[in-house]
Amino acid sequence: MKSLQAKLTAAMLTLLFGSLIVLSGLNYWKASSLLVGESKDKLFVQVKGSADGVGEWIAGRQTEVVVLATADVVKSGNKREIQKYLANIHTANPMYDDLIFADVNGDFISDEGKTGNVKEREHFKNAMQGKTYISDPFVSETTGEGIVAFAVPVLSNGKIVGEMVGGVKLSSLSEKVLAQKSGKKGFTFLSQKDGLIIIHPNQEYSLKYNAL
């Protein structure tokens, strides 16, 4: 009798233990699923926040160049005075790689006093049509830094009298993008839709490596 009781007790304990294992497994799976779901949600929110931040950065830089184009000295077309004005702006705002004013013939002067002609450039053609132009990121020939060019038409009395171009360093955006972290080892990078890496913690990838 005791032997049967012992066997039944052992069987019940085995069944109970097995049930606990199953329940523990189910609870672990459910908890893991919830954690993965929460991680995905947090990551989505983080990525969306980063994307919104990039959009705000672009909108902000575009607005600044538009404001420069509305200055009376710029609308005057006096290149000597415009050069002085742009030089002061550049000194006060080191995020710019360069600032350029071009007249309707494409002849330009930069904040450093450099001159040339940009009439065949895409940004100039857009500006002469009254359009704002934002370039893809590229490497500056003079500084070797990654920049984005913002070009807008200069209007005086409702007439297009030139173009204002602001080359903005990507370093001011990089700080915002790279500040976003995912866990202890995760990191954030920015790429174009064609796969070109724009901003990456490893500078060797920035504007050099295509992920596709």
Side-chain angles (χ1 to χ4, degrees):
M1 184 69 178
K2 289 183 177 179
S3 177
L4 179 60
Q5 185 177 359
K7 288 180 180 179
L8 289 173
T9 301
M12 291 178 66
L13 287 173
T14 301
L15 180 61
L16 178 61
F17 183 67
S19 299
L20 289 174
I21 291 176
V22 172
L23 286 173
S24 297
L26 289 173
N27 287 333
Y28 173 77
W29 176 82
K30 186 175 181 181
S32 297
S33 297
L34 288 173
L35 287 173
V36 170
E38 288 178 2
S39 297
K40 287 182 178 180
D41 290 342
K42 289 180 180 178
L43 186 59
F44 175 79
V45 172
Q46 185 176 340
V47 170
K48 185 178 185 301
S50 297
D52 291 342
V54 172
E56 291 171 1
W57 182 86
I58 291 174
R61 303 297 79 76
Q62 179 180 330
T63 299
E64 290 166 359
V65 177
V66 168
V67 171
L68 292 177
T70 61
D72 289 337
V73 64
V74 174
K75 293 190 292 184
S76 73
N78 186 323
K79 291 180 182 176
R80 178 174 294 184
E81 295 302 317
I82 291 174
Q83 187 270 322
K84 293 178 183 178
Y85 171 72
L86 296 181
N88 289 332
I89 295 295
H90 194 173
T91 299
N93 297 275
M95 69 177 177
Y96 287 112
D97 183 77
D98 58 6
L99 291 165
I100 291 173
F101 167 80
D103 61 24
V104 292
N105 297 314
D107 295 321
F108 76 82
I109 188 164
S110 74
D111 59 280
E112 295 181 337
K114 296 179 181 178
T115 59
N117 190 283
V118 291
K119 67 179 181 180
E120 297 302 324
R121 299 291 183 88
E122 195 66 26
H123 62 77
F124 179 77
K125 294 177 180 178
N126 275 267
M128 291 302 99
Q129 295 175 16
K131 301 177 182 178
T132 296
Y133 178 89
I134 303 175
S135 75
D136 287 335
F138 62 96
V139 178
S140 169
E141 296 179 357
T142 55
T143 64
E145 291 196 52
I147 64 174
V148 175
F150 295 81
V152 301
V154 176
L155 301 174
S156 180
N157 297 320
K159 180 181 178 181
I160 296 176
V161 296
E163 172 197 38
M164 173 59 64
V165 183
V168 184
K169 298 176 183 177
L170 281 173
S171 56
S172 60
L173 176 60
S174 297
E175 296 174 1
K176 296 180 180 295
V177 173
L178 299 181
Q180 300 293 324
K181 303 291 183 181
S182 178
K184 294 182 179 180
K185 297 183 179 180
F187 60 86
T188 304
F189 67 91
L190 179 66
S191 67
Q192 289 184 163
K193 60 182 179 180
D194 63 1
L196 179 66
I197 301 296
I198 305 303
I199 295 172
H200 194 281
N202 186 340
Q203 291 297 316
E204 293 182 1
Y205 289 162
S206 299
L207 296 174
K208 298 175 184 176
Y209 178 74
N210 194 305
L212 297 183

